[in-house]
Amino acid sequence: MSPRSGWSPVLLVVCCLFVTAYCKFPTLDHIKPKASDKAQGRAVVELLRRLLGTRSPEFLVSVNRSLSNDSLDVCELRSTKNNKIVATGSTGVAVATGIYNYLKYFCNCHVSWSGDQLDLPRPLPRLTGVLRINTRHRFRYYQNVCTFSYSSVWWDWPRWEREIDWMALNGINLPLAFTGQEALWQEVYRALGLNQSEIEEFFSGPAFLAWNRMGNVFKFGGPLPQSWHVNQLYLQFKILERMRSFGMTPVLPAFSGNIPKGILRLYPEANVTRLGPWAHFNCSFSCSYILDPRDPLFLQIGSLYLSQVVKQFGTDHIYNTDTFNEMTPPSSDPTYLSAVSRSVFASMTAVDPQAIWLMQGWLFFSDAVFWKPAQIQALLHGVPLGRMIVLDLFAETEPIFSYTESFYGQPFIWCMLQNFGGNSGFFGTVESINSGPFKALHFPNSTLVGIGLTPEGIEQNPVMYELMSELAWRKEPVNLSKWASLYAVRRYGSTQENLTAAWRLLFASVYNCTVPHYRNHNHSPLVRRPSFRMNTDLWYDPADLYKSWKLIIEAAPSLMSKETFRYDLVDVTRQVLQVLTTIFYQDIADAFLHQKLPELLTAGGVLVYDLLPELNRLLSSDRNFLLGTWLERARSLALDEKEAQLYDMNARNQLTLWGPSGEILDYASKEWGGLMEDYYAQRWGLFVHTLVECLDSGRPFKQDAFNQAVFQVEKGFIYNGRRYPTKPQGDAYEIAHRIFLKYYPQALKRL
């Protein structure tokens, strides 16, 4: 039996020897780690020092690429006589993943965005024989083009370092590396003859760069200060150096055809299309200019840019660009679509003859009316087979490979999207992700070459990313109930039955959405502008959530020293209050509809004067749920007060209005201390107040008039100038327990 966990080593060899079943593409054979075996080994040693401190020398690390004869990562671990662990792997990532597997399943340890649980047993648990961990997936991809705006936009180097460590531990070897690209674009535009004001009119502010890069918006939230370019470039150099040191293959940006208007002044004859508006924006910040890839100027600009990328950043030969992200092409003629992809690819191979184009497959889903089989095949076949990798971006819910004959022969990566806009809120599709990758692998003539994580925003639902990462190294689906129990044990370093039971309940309910085509935008009335047309549906039975809440509250007193536990206590209580907000909203709506003023005052009063303030106090008690941290990180990148105000506006606007006038209102909602008090609670207060006035005076409620009034509240938050706490306040247990005593009986009553 293995120490502490009580599971036999047979079960713990996460995936024994595999028969390599994936389709081999010789076109990908040149994609290899740049760093030497020795350098990769050093990178893992440094990671362990950061993670385990004085215990790190108990792990003896070496990288030997000849351990794998087919480009598929493998790691072997064994114990020495003096209780050390020897880990040898084909890459730095393979070794880090192997060691993390040992830490998880033999030492009950855990590493996550919301804290670590690293109570290592002393001495280290012994391995009998060799523990061999390997994967049948050539690539384990990470990030979404949106993650750079929704999550990492304000990061400094220590935060990036932590994330790259997390990637290595979780087996990621194909990360997106998009930081700092505007600095290079600025050089290219200057070389082409654009003046500074034309460049400034083009770039959006930092919080909206993801959509500027994709040709959705320009200028909004700008102009980008020169200090921004310098800082991001410095970060990118460090990010790339660290990723490569682990043996990862960073994916670099290429040209999509999205150009500043100023190009038309220099090249009036260019074949440029002006797109229509995107997502309710008007043409002052949207309606981008797209250069036809068949125009010779496309090759000129694309190769000029990529040669700059390769010169400054080096290359690992994989580039991402997305030509028609949420934009309908001007023609559905297959010949045109093939010509487009051929031309885009030509702008890559002109600079790097070994280029591989990595493309998000989101367009095939988001504009399914346009992208029929003939159009999809035409776009994909404009590039030689094996020279493009398609991300099946939302495969847990909307897999594309299954109705495109495995992307008509192009390699693809099965991805879990999981999150939109970095929204707070429990969500998962555990049954789907537990079976989906294996179905893709065994699909007729499957061209699967990897597994991916493609969330729009991170730092939520850590359990889903740990499970998905681990599945890349499994040879069959896991027993979800058993996996959830072991997750609880290692996340808290405790075998309390309450905790394992709570996680089994969560896995069977809120983490197992099986509603077809469900998109996890947090629709809760809590974080939406109040109206009488709010979405109150749940994909799970709240009784399961309440039961797990009770179990976690009961276990709390002895576990409050663990950051991972404190986070989950706050998170589960937050989820319950989110559900209760919907119930009080329904009471408010019913009372108004039936013109019952006392009931309206009661339900509205409880929501506005007790539940929401309590939720704000709860969120403010944990460092992971603070608006102040997000805003302070933004301001800290500024050189002066003017820049600080620009970044502050960007940071606040993205969370709320998402545009000058609420064009994508609340898309990127967050349940954070400070934001709850000064934004969401203010809106609900105005709504209840307005309804009471309507009943008092006998006037009907007018949504349009309310929207105008509440817009002033929303805009007021963006410019309120308030500095929010960056350190937690109050005792999380005391607050959560008080909320439990007050609201648990009410919750049960409403089932």
Side-chain angles (χ1 to χ4, degrees):
M1 299 295 277
S2 72
R4 296 182 76 184
S5 69
W7 292 82
S8 74
V10 177
L11 289 170
L12 293 163
V13 177
V14 165
C15 38
C16 307
L17 291 164
F18 283 145
V19 176
T20 304
Y22 85 110
C23 177
K24 223 173 180 316
F25 287 94
T27 50
L28 301 174
D29 286 349
H30 63 289
I31 308 297
K32 292 188 173 81
K34 280 275 190 296
S36 68
D37 290 358
K38 198 169 249 178
Q40 291 179 61
R42 272 198 308 272
V44 178
V45 168
E46 291 297 319
L47 182 163
L48 293 174
R49 197 171 291 155
R50 287 188 292 276
L51 194 68
L52 305 175
T54 55
R55 302 291 305 273
S56 64
E58 294 173 46
F59 291 87
L60 307 173
V61 167
S62 67
V63 172
N64 177 0
R65 63 188 68 202
S66 63
L67 204 59
S68 165
N69 55 11
D70 55 8
S71 308
L72 296 178
D73 270 336
V74 58
C75 179
E76 293 180 346
L77 300 100
R78 59 183 174 81
S79 290
T80 65
K81 286 194 177 71
N82 58 350
N83 292 312
K84 292 191 173 182
I85 295 290
V86 176
T88 309
S90 50
T91 61
V93 169
V95 177
T97 308
I99 290 172
Y100 187 41
N101 182 270
Y102 170 80
L103 289 172
K104 286 196 293 192
Y105 286 103
F106 288 81
C107 306
N108 285 331
C109 287
H110 173 76
V111 176
S112 80
W113 295 311
S114 44
D116 302 337
Q117 196 290 110
L118 290 167
D119 286 349
L120 271 182
R122 197 185 290 273
L124 289 177
R126 285 190 68 76
L127 292 170
T128 48
V130 174
L131 172 66
R132 183 181 167 89
I133 291 160
N134 56 349
T135 177
R136 59 174 87 177
H137 299 290
R138 173 73 197 276
F139 299 114
R140 284 87 57 199
Y141 174 80
Y142 180 49
Q143 297 254 359
N144 178 308
V145 291
C146 300
T147 325
F148 290 88
S149 291
Y150 285 136
S151 295
S152 56
V153 53
W154 313 120
W155 286 1
D156 55 11
W157 169 243
R159 181 62 190 85
W160 266 111
E161 178 173 64
R162 165 94 188 161
E163 193 69 12
I164 298 166
D165 285 352
W166 180 91
M167 292 181 203
L169 293 166
N170 284 283
I172 305 299
N173 67 352
L174 188 66
L176 204 52
F178 263 30
T179 306
Q181 57 180 285
E182 283 69 31
L184 305 196
W185 271 120
Q186 180 169 258
E187 293 309 307
V188 168
Y189 295 146
R190 283 174 176 167
L192 288 166
L194 262 65
N195 60 46
Q196 197 56 33
S197 67
E198 287 171 321
I199 295 171
E200 287 181 359
E201 287 280 301
F202 178 63
F203 290 140
S204 69
F208 306 99
L209 282 172
W211 303 277
N212 181 232
R213 293 164 181 172
M214 288 186 281
N216 303 132
V217 294
F218 55 83
K219 190 180 175 182
F220 179 67
L224 276 184
Q226 289 308 304
S227 64
W228 174 265
H229 295 307
V230 174
N231 177 47
Q232 296 297 295
L233 210 47
Y234 158 80
L235 274 177
Q236 176 75 336
F237 290 136
K238 291 185 78 95
I239 289 165
L240 290 172
E241 182 188 21
R242 182 61 57 82
M243 285 175 171
R244 288 174 177 142
S245 74
F246 284 116
M248 296 177 188
T249 299
V251 178
L252 294 169
F255 180 48
S256 69
N258 173 33
I259 54 168
K261 184 183 178 183
I263 295 287
L264 296 175
R265 175 180 64 79
L266 300 166
Y267 301 93
E269 303 303 308
N271 183 357
V272 173
T273 304
R274 185 157 199 201
L275 298 172
W278 175 76
H280 308 297
F281 274 83
N282 65 32
C283 287
S284 51
F285 295 120
S286 171
C287 310
S288 298
Y289 296 88
I290 302 295
L291 177 61
D292 190 311
R294 299 167 305 173
D295 190 304
L297 183 60
F298 188 100
L299 182 65
Q300 186 190 333
I301 295 175
S303 49
L304 192 60
Y305 177 63
L306 203 63
S307 55
Q308 187 76 0
V309 167
V310 172
K311 182 181 156 196
Q312 296 291 342
F313 298 155
T315 188
D316 299 80
H317 310 297
I318 302 188
Y319 308 96
N320 166 257
T321 192
D322 295 294
T323 37
F324 300 115
N325 181 67
E326 298 185 3
M327 302 180 291
T328 305
S331 164
S332 61
D333 178 2
T335 316
Y336 164 75
L337 294 169
S338 280
V340 163
S341 52
R342 194 176 304 117
S343 303
V344 171
F345 188 60
S347 76
M348 297 179 193
T349 51
V351 175
D352 179 356
Q354 293 184 297
I356 304 287
W357 177 5
L358 180 92
M359 185 182 83
Q360 294 195 137
W362 179 251
L363 71 172
F364 304 136
F365 161 68
S366 73
D367 195 358
V369 174
F370 177 91
W371 293 102
K372 297 285 188 271
Q375 283 69 33
I376 296 175
Q377 188 164 359
L379 189 76
L380 296 178
H381 282 186
V383 175
L385 283 187
R387 299 293 298 274
M388 172 187 264
I389 300 172
V390 186
L391 300 176
D392 204 343
L393 208 74
F394 191 19
E396 78 270 36
T397 303
E398 302 287 353
I400 311 290
F401 77 89
S402 52
Y403 67 85
T404 55
E405 298 166 32
S406 203
F407 289 98
Y408 301 112
Q410 289 289 22
F412 79 98
I413 294 176
W414 193 102
C415 301
M416 174 187 82
L417 201 157
Q418 166 68 21
N419 179 275
F420 291 90
N423 294 160
S424 312
F426 284 174
F427 183 78
T429 50
V430 289
E431 277 181 21
S432 175
I433 69 165
N434 195 31
S435 60
F438 301 98
K439 286 178 187 164
L441 198 59
H442 300 121
F443 190 73
N445 302 314
S446 177
T447 52
L448 182 75
V449 292
I451 298 290
L453 306 173
T454 52
E456 286 191 353
I458 58 169
E459 297 175 321
Q460 36 65 35
N461 297 298
V463 65
M464 292 302 298
Y465 303 92
E466 178 143 323
L467 174 59
M468 189 70 229
S469 302
E470 199 178 291
L471 286 168
W473 300 77
R474 294 269 187 173
K475 68 174 187 292
E476 60 191 10
V478 301
N479 175 324
L480 288 169
S481 176
K482 202 173 282 183
W483 193 93
S485 297
L486 287 174
Y487 176 81
V489 171
R490 64 178 181 266
R491 183 153 168 88
Y492 311 128
S494 165
T495 51
Q496 279 193 51
E497 177 53 37
N498 263 33
L499 300 170
T500 51
W503 272 100
R504 284 196 299 270
L505 277 168
L506 292 171
F507 252 46
S509 58
V510 69
Y511 279 114
N512 190 30
C513 179
T514 55
V515 179
H517 313 296
Y518 193 88
R519 290 206 220 182
N520 172 34
H521 299 281
N522 189 344
H523 295 293
S524 165
L526 173 65
V527 292
R528 296 287 171 161
R529 182 188 275 177
S531 76
F532 285 110
R533 296 184 303 275
M534 304 192 85
N535 186 336
T536 59
D537 295 343
L538 293 177
W539 62 92
Y540 60 98
D541 181 351
D544 293 326
L545 174 67
Y546 302 155
K547 272 182 223 156
S548 60
W549 185 33
K550 182 173 187 282
L551 290 165
I552 286 169
I553 288 277
E554 286 168 356
S558 63
L559 286 166
M560 291 307 290
S561 62
K562 301 274 186 190
E563 183 177 13
T564 46
F565 181 82
R566 289 196 307 273
Y567 177 93
D568 288 351
L569 174 68
V570 170
D571 210 14
V572 73
T573 309
R574 175 208 53 71
Q575 186 73 17
V576 169
L577 292 184
Q578 179 181 291
V579 175
L580 290 178
T581 298
T582 300
I583 291 170
F584 283 112
Y585 159 68
Q586 288 167 321
D587 289 351
I588 289 164
D590 286 348
F592 184 77
L593 191 68
H594 298 109
Q595 302 195 326
K596 293 181 174 173
L597 187 58
E599 282 88 337
L600 174 60
L601 288 168
T602 302
V606 172
L607 179 65
V608 172
Y609 297 112
D610 192 79
L611 191 150
L612 295 178
E614 285 283 47
L615 178 51
N616 189 68
R617 282 188 281 272
L618 175 79
L619 296 167
S620 300
S621 72
D622 187 284
R623 72 177 183 91
N624 296 284
F625 297 90
L626 300 178
L627 169 66
T629 305
W630 171 256
L631 298 182
E632 196 47 51
R633 279 190 171 153
R635 293 184 71 91
S636 71
L637 299 182
L639 282 188
D640 56 34
E641 186 53 29
K642 189 183 169 198
E643 285 183 13
Q645 285 175 9
L646 179 77
Y647 295 165
D648 186 77
M649 185 283 283
N650 269 258
R652 290 170 185 250
N653 184 287
Q654 187 207 87
L655 302 175
T656 54
L657 292 178
W658 212 127
S661 314
E663 282 75 1
I664 319 182
L665 182 68
D666 298 318
Y667 181 94
S669 67
K670 308 285 185 295
E671 293 171 30
W672 285 345
L675 192 61
M676 192 55 62
E677 177 180 35
D678 281 357
Y679 183 73
Y680 301 118
Q682 295 302 318
R683 292 201 300 202
W684 278 107
L686 182 63
F687 185 64
V688 171
H689 179 74
T690 306
L691 297 183
V692 169
E693 274 192 344
C694 287
L695 282 192
D696 260 349
S697 63
R699 285 198 311 270
F701 173 77
K702 290 198 166 61
Q703 187 71 48
D704 288 351
F706 174 75
N707 287 351
Q708 284 176 12
V710 83
F711 176 67
Q712 296 309 317
V713 171
E714 293 159 345
K715 204 170 170 184
F717 163 75
I718 293 172
Y719 297 103
N720 74 15
R722 185 176 162 194
R723 301 294 280 267
Y724 291 87
T726 53
K727 296 208 162 41
Q729 298 172 315
D731 182 300
Y733 172 68
E734 208 177 280
I735 298 164
H737 190 245
R738 183 173 69 232
I739 291 169
F740 178 79
L741 293 176
K742 223 186 307 191
Y743 285 102
Y744 181 71
Q746 294 218 33
L748 292 188
K749 245 185 262 171
R750 302 304 296 268
L751 286 172

